[in-house]
Amino acid sequence: MSELLLLNGPNLGILGRREPEIYGTATLADIEKSVAAEVAPRNWRVVPVQRESEGELIHAIQDHHDSVGAIVNPGALMIAGWSLRDALAAYPRPWMEVHLSNVWAREAFRHESVLAPLAAGVIVGLGALGYVLAARALLEVVPD
Ligand code: DQA
């Protein structure tokens, strides 16, 4: 069965109770479930990984080079996660960057992502729906 990597960075494991006015009330488990439902008809299995540290996220990427694609919410590592960027540069499959909040409507330090230039697409500001739309986009761009 093909695997889709669903990678979430620091502070995303507490979604649902983390600043819900910004990030919404869906938990990470809810999000993982809805992404899994979206890709199930294609026979893709979601591999959910959430880590607080950059090194562990890098290990997850390296361990899943054979996945069909990835959805990545790097959290604040978008700002200066240079090692994560290098890991994604070496990742051989298309991946989508997702942010629940509209980072450009927020503080200036969130306005740049060092990862985004490598992504197949970027979705921001749509909350948990963004992950489902990223999954849908990967279903389109990844050939059978
Ligand atoms: C986030 C936006 C980041 O700026 C922030 O550091 C996060 C969450 C989002 O999903 O909106 O941790 O990636």
Side-chain angles (χ1 to χ4, degrees):
M1 201 180 210
S2 302
E3 292 184 339
L4 173 68
L5 182 60
L6 175 53
L7 202 63
N8 279 280
N11 299 303
L12 292 164
I14 55 168
L15 285 177
R17 59 194 162 89
R18 177 188 178 194
E19 298 179 275
E21 66 287 359
I22 297 175
Y23 298 115
T25 51
T27 64
L28 191 53
D30 295 334
I31 289 167
E32 289 166 358
K33 225 165 122 183
S34 51
V35 171
E38 188 66 27
V39 301
R42 182 84 172 263
N43 236 12
W44 289 358
R45 189 175 72 82
V46 170
V47 178
V49 177
Q50 188 275 324
R51 296 288 185 271
E52 306 301 348
S53 69
E54 188 170 2
E56 288 182 285
L57 294 167
I58 291 167
H59 277 304
I61 293 166
Q62 292 173 352
D63 289 347
H64 291 93
H65 270 201
D66 57 351
S67 48
V68 289
I71 298 171
V72 181
N73 184 343
L77 291 171
M78 69 184 285
I79 298 160
W82 293 109
S83 305
L84 183 59
R85 184 196 186 282
D86 284 349
L88 287 165
Y91 178 67
R93 307 294 299 172
W95 61 276
M96 303 285 168
E97 181 168 337
V98 172
H99 297 282
L100 294 139
S101 62
N102 179 356
V103 287
W104 290 292
R106 301 183 62 196
E107 303 94 323
F109 70 86
R110 296 182 204 277
H111 293 182
E112 199 192 339
S113 168
V114 299
L115 313 176
L118 304 177
V122 180
I123 298 175
V124 307
L126 297 178
L129 175 64
Y131 287 87
V132 175
L133 296 178
R136 204 169 295 171
L138 282 169
L139 287 168
E140 292 288 332
V141 303
V142 173
D144 277 327

